[in-house]
Amino acid sequence: TLPIFQAYVGSTQSNMAVDPTEVTLQFNTVSIDTASGYKTGTYLYTVSASGIYYLYYNVTMSNFDSGMTAGQIQMKDGSGNYFAICRIDDKEFTADSAYVTRNANAIVRLNAGETVKVTYYQTGGDAIADLIQTNSSTSGAESIFGGYLLTPKTSKETTQVTEGSDGDSFHDPGE
């Protein structure tokens, strides 16, 4: 079975912490999970098969404090590597009740057993930002995190062989 997952925010995550705390975003309801890799208790996706994955998120947040200087939403793997980073600038709102939506995607090589999550980090201001629940029967969930396996083979698991003009085979010099 091809690993595919998607989770969404089924209930609002309120008053998220500020600097120096990085907060794991709580996608607490699973809509698709063919390999049983997403855990709603930890908000982590655990990779079941090594390969190259397409990962994505769409996040809507509200109630930013006007004293906030910056915010950042990103994916993070179990080794601490960040990718698909989106920044929220304090110039995007003038009051404490602004809504901001960010989305990003990434193609990454992951090994079986590795974990991936979406996190939020804020500098300045008070801890009043919320990851909001917006679900409808027609448009679905607004805050989602998901992904799927593109190919189970990584470049290290394959060898490119090219035939020379004389019919001899040789290996790619990049190996």
Side-chain angles (χ1 to χ4, degrees), residues 28 35 45 68 75 93 104 118 125 131 139 174:
N28 49 23
Y45 178 72
M68 179 184 97
M75 284 187 243
F93 52 89
V118 180
L131 175 62
S139 65

Side-chain angles (χ1 to χ4, degrees), residues 81-146:
N81 299 308
Y82 293 96
F83 49 96
I85 299 168
C86 287
R87 214 168 137 74
I88 301 166
D89 187 10
D90 65 336
K91 310 285 185 283
E92 295 182 55
F93 52 89
T94 58
D96 288 353
S97 61
Y99 285 85
V100 175
T101 298
R102 289 287 183 273
N103 57 62
N105 53 63
I107 296 174
V108 294
R109 180 176 290 118
L110 297 168
N111 294 315
E114 281 190 89
T115 59
V116 180
K117 62 184 176 180
V118 180
T119 66
Y120 171 71
Y121 183 82
Q122 175 182 318
T123 57
D126 293 325
I128 63 171
D130 302 333
L131 175 62
I132 65 169
Q133 169 196 7
T134 306
N135 302 324
S136 78
S137 60
T138 56
S139 65
E142 195 166 333
S143 292
I144 58 173
F145 169 43

Side-chain angles (χ1 to χ4, degrees), residues 2 5 14 24 28 30 43-44 47 52-54 61 63 67 82 99-100 106-107 114 120-121 123 134 136 140 147 156:
L2 183 67
F5 80 99
S14 299
T24 299
N28 49 23
V30 174
Y43 316 108
L44 294 172
V47 175
I52 299 172
Y53 282 76
Y54 175 81
M61 298 178 70
N63 294 328
Y82 293 96
Y99 285 85
V100 175
I107 296 174
E114 281 190 89
Y120 171 71
Y121 183 82
T123 57
T134 306
S136 78
K156 292 181 181 178

Side-chain angles (χ1 to χ4, degrees), residues 2-32:
L2 183 67
I4 303 169
F5 80 99
Q6 182 170 288
Y8 64 93
V9 175
S11 58
T12 298
Q13 180 180 358
S14 299
N15 301 325
M16 292 189 288
V18 296
D19 187 18
T21 303
E22 180 180 31
V23 177
T24 299
L25 297 185
Q26 297 175 4
F27 298 92
N28 49 23
T29 306
V30 174
S31 56
I32 301 168

Side-chain angles (χ1 to χ4, degrees), residues 56-73:
Y56 59 90
Y57 65 81
N58 186 78
V59 171
T60 297
M61 298 178 70
S62 67
N63 294 328
F64 292 100
D65 183 57
S66 58
M68 179 184 97
T69 54
Q72 189 167 294
I73 302 166

